[in-house]
Amino acid sequence: MNTFDTIVIGAGMSGLTTARMLVDAGRNVLVLEARDRIGGRMHSDRAAGFPVDRGASWVHGIDGSPLWDLVQALDIPTLEYTVGSFQVGGRPIENFDGDGNAMDAAATAGWIADVEHAERLLAEEISTSSPGDTYLDVTERALDRSALSPERIDDVREFFRHRVEEQCGAWIGDLDAHGLDEDAIDGDEVIFPRGYDELPRRIAQGLDIRLGHAVTRVVRSPDGVVVDTAVGVFAADHVVVTVSLGVLKARAIAFEPALPDAVTGPIERLGMGVFNKIFLQFPRRFWDEGTYVIRALGEAGEHWHSWYDVSAVSGIPTLLTFAAGPFGRHMQELADEDVVADVVRSLRSLYGDAVGDPVAHWVTHWGEDDFSRGSYSHLAVGSSHHDHDELAGPVDGVLHLAGEATWGEEPATVGAAYYSGHRAAERILGRAVDLVAFAAGIRAREADAPRA
Ligand SMILES: Cc1cc2nc3c(=O)[nH]c(=O)nc-3n(C[C@H](O)[C@H](O)[C@H](O)COP(=O)(O)OP(=O)(O)OC[C@H]3O[C@@H](n4cnc5c(N)ncnc54)[C@H](O)[C@@H]3O)c2cc1C
């Protein structure tokens, strides 16, 4: 007889959700986590005395979102920040033109109109695209039809390229034409002044989680599964594998017998992007109060193009910028100090000497992280939306996969991780799990055992 009903591999949002739901249903569950912390790609670094979200920051669209319902049910405070999906307007953005000059209201309105015009043509091109078309192909066709001047086309092209990099961590020519279809944002976006990992930490309370247990092998048989780690071997009736697509692609875990084509096909076809964050704290603010984003277009924004004001989290003037796609990978080869100096140089080309030397910085390297091997999944050319859900299995009735890459409706998000974890729990239990009751269960446990 197996010691556990289910072993969950990975203590990120998806794994913790599955584990919590199964335990709530009376199952005996073990969570094996390779790192020395839980949360996975939700990582709030509190070493400086305030949270720095090195992984996820945003709920991208709160309308009709069960994730948002959970956040509210747990009374987690949030800040409205509706520019996390690379919007061109909608909230105050300080735009600089390709020469590094601040754009006035009229120029900004013209810029927004250019992007919105091109966006409408792009939607048409995507809807009539053929299999194998890349996002670059459809973008170029839209721009060809736009009748904008060559200079304005260049700026809009850069904007679309940067949007793909930030949203997918990929080069625009590697993304399928449909790669941003699931990117629609319903309602406001929010960030978490107490750190986003409060969410997985509260779900995790009371679970049997073994940190420092990197799984190396999963053997399945009609009787269940045996899971190897460097620290011990564990057996269960079911296993839920929630490691990232990057970890699956790297074959860091051996599966015996080998996973079927129905699962390995999506692993090969889907892409794993790189998206890194650079937080800089300054002695004083040099941008306007109320600005959400600083954005440099064209030449001025070749590498560093968008800075997000996240000062409200720490009370210290703080900008967050990103390095994603090919540049995000390249950035990882540089010393952090050189990266910071390069970002500061870019800001000085916009604001001059008003930009003081940073007093603190944080630089992520998600592409080099052994237990993530990238930031999130995307629809690489040749893959389809179905690949995401196909990746979930189950395999032989005993092996399930969950995690952001297994959820086709909005992959690459915390929501996807949450919903895929929910789906895995429902499949194992063979019945529906009510999300309202799930949240209420977390609250009830906290009331019984107040948090430290
Ligand atoms: C920089 C960055 C910014 C992001 N921003 C946002 C955002 O603003 N909004 C949003 O919705 N999403 C965002 N995301 C995506 C979001 O963080 C992820 O989609 C989500 O957290 C993934 O959860 P998961 O459970 O699928 O995977 P993970 O969180 O990766 O969990 C998998 C777990 O498995 C563990 N593991 C790996 N290998 C092994 C092994 N061999 N044995 C045992 N354990 C192992 C890992 O350590 C990890 O804890 C961002 C991601 C990154 C990297």
Side-chain angles (χ1 to χ4, degrees):
M1 177 142 133
N2 291 321
T3 329
F4 298 97
D5 296 319
T6 301
I7 291 173
V8 174
I9 303 176
M13 185 66 189
S14 58
L16 293 170
T17 298
T18 305
R20 178 83 270 156
M21 289 176 173
L22 294 178
V23 169
D24 286 353
R27 301 292 173 96
N28 188 12
V29 179
L30 175 67
V31 183
L32 297 173
E33 168 55 52
R35 300 179 198 270
D36 60 1
R37 61 168 179 84
I38 64 164
R41 283 171 274 170
M42 299 174 79
H43 181 199
S44 308
D45 179 346
R46 294 182 175 79
F50 46 80
V52 176
D53 272 321
R54 301 178 71 100
S57 294
W58 271 272
V59 175
H60 293 299
I62 61 176
D63 288 358
S65 158
L67 173 65
W68 175 240
D69 294 342
L70 177 63
V71 169
Q72 284 190 301
L74 298 185
D75 265 337
I76 300 179
T78 55
L79 292 170
E80 183 276 325
Y81 210 104
T82 313
V83 281
S85 304
F86 217 72
Q87 288 89 336
V88 67
R91 294 291 183 273
I93 297 177
E94 288 179 36
N95 287 301
F96 290 80
D97 66 21
D99 298 322
N101 298 317
M103 286 165 61
D104 62 16
T108 299
W111 160 242
I112 293 173
D114 284 356
V115 173
E116 289 177 347
H117 167 59
E119 190 89 86
R120 281 189 291 276
L121 298 173
L122 180 56
E124 289 169 17
E125 292 299 336
I126 291 170
S127 68
T128 56
S129 65
S130 308
D133 281 348
T134 70
Y135 207 86
L136 180 61
D137 295 331
V138 285
T139 299
E140 288 304 325
R141 282 179 214 145
L143 292 174
D144 277 351
R145 288 172 53 210
S146 69
L148 295 170
S149 69
E151 296 75 32
R152 294 169 84 166
I153 283 184
D154 281 348
D155 285 353
V156 177
R157 177 186 288 117
E158 283 292 277
F159 178 85
F160 286 146
R161 175 167 79 85
H162 290 150
R163 182 172 66 182
V164 167
E165 288 172 357
E166 286 206 0
Q167 298 304 95
C168 305
W171 178 57
I172 189 167
D174 289 336
L175 187 73
D176 188 88
H178 290 280
L180 283 178
D181 284 4
E182 309 301 332
D183 212 43
I185 303 301
D186 295 322
D188 284 350
E189 295 170 275
V190 298
I191 60 170
F192 293 80
R194 290 206 303 226
Y196 206 167
D197 78 354
E198 176 177 348
L199 189 57
R201 276 147 57 108
R202 287 175 66 181
I203 295 172
Q205 266 211 321
L207 294 176
D208 183 354
I209 303 171
R210 314 275 171 94
L211 300 177
H213 280 60
V215 171
T216 51
R217 192 166 73 132
V218 175
V219 180
R220 62 185 192 280
S221 72
D223 298 333
V225 290
V226 174
V227 176
D228 288 5
T229 72
V231 203
V233 178
F234 304 89
D237 296 338
H238 294 99
V239 65
V240 183
V241 180
T242 75
V243 301
S244 75
L245 176 66
V247 171
L248 292 171
K249 277 180 178 292
R251 298 171 193 256
I253 299 177
F255 291 95
E256 294 176 18
L259 292 173
D261 292 350
V263 172
T264 56
I267 292 174
E268 280 159 25
R269 286 190 292 272
L270 291 167
M272 186 69 179
V274 168
F275 171 82
N276 280 312
K277 289 181 158 182
I278 297 97
F279 293 84
L280 298 180
Q281 287 192 328
F282 293 95
R284 69 195 67 81
R285 170 189 289 268
F286 49 85
W287 60 99
D288 289 346
E289 197 79 40
T291 289
Y292 278 66
V293 185
I294 298 161
R295 181 161 289 140
L297 309 182
E299 289 262 302
E302 163 96 37
H303 285 153
W304 309 105
H305 48 81
S306 303
W307 293 266
Y308 298 76
D309 179 0
V310 291
S311 314
V313 174
S314 62
I316 300 167
T318 309
L319 292 177
L320 163 62
T321 187
F322 304 121
F327 181 59
R329 287 185 198 277
H330 168 69
M331 181 227 87
Q332 296 176 153
E333 294 163 11
L334 309 175
D336 286 359
E337 287 65 30
D338 293 340
V339 171
V340 169
D342 201 34
V343 178
V344 170
R345 238 187 329 269
S346 286
L347 283 168
R348 287 195 177 132
S349 76
L350 309 179
Y351 290 93
D353 293 342
V355 182
D357 289 334
V359 292
H361 65 256
W362 293 258
V363 180
T364 71
H365 292 248
W366 286 100
E368 296 176 331
D369 179 318
D370 278 350
F371 303 122
S372 178
R373 295 180 189 254
S375 300
Y376 32 71
S377 64
H378 63 266
L379 212 65
V381 195
S383 58
S384 86
H385 292 294
H386 301 296
D387 281 331
H388 286 292
D389 293 293
E390 289 294 311
L391 180 55
V395 180
D396 298 339
V398 296
L399 187 151
H400 299 253
L401 292 104
E404 57 84 9
T406 72
W407 191 258
E409 230 174 85
E410 50 167 295
T413 63
V414 171
Y418 177 42
Y419 310 140
S420 70
H422 178 213
R423 176 182 58 196
E426 289 192 328
R427 285 182 174 171
I428 289 172
L429 293 171
R431 63 168 172 78
V433 174
D434 180 58
L435 291 180
V436 175
F438 172 67
I442 296 171
R443 292 306 299 252
R445 245 184 332 276
E446 289 174 345
D448 287 347
R451 274 175 301 142

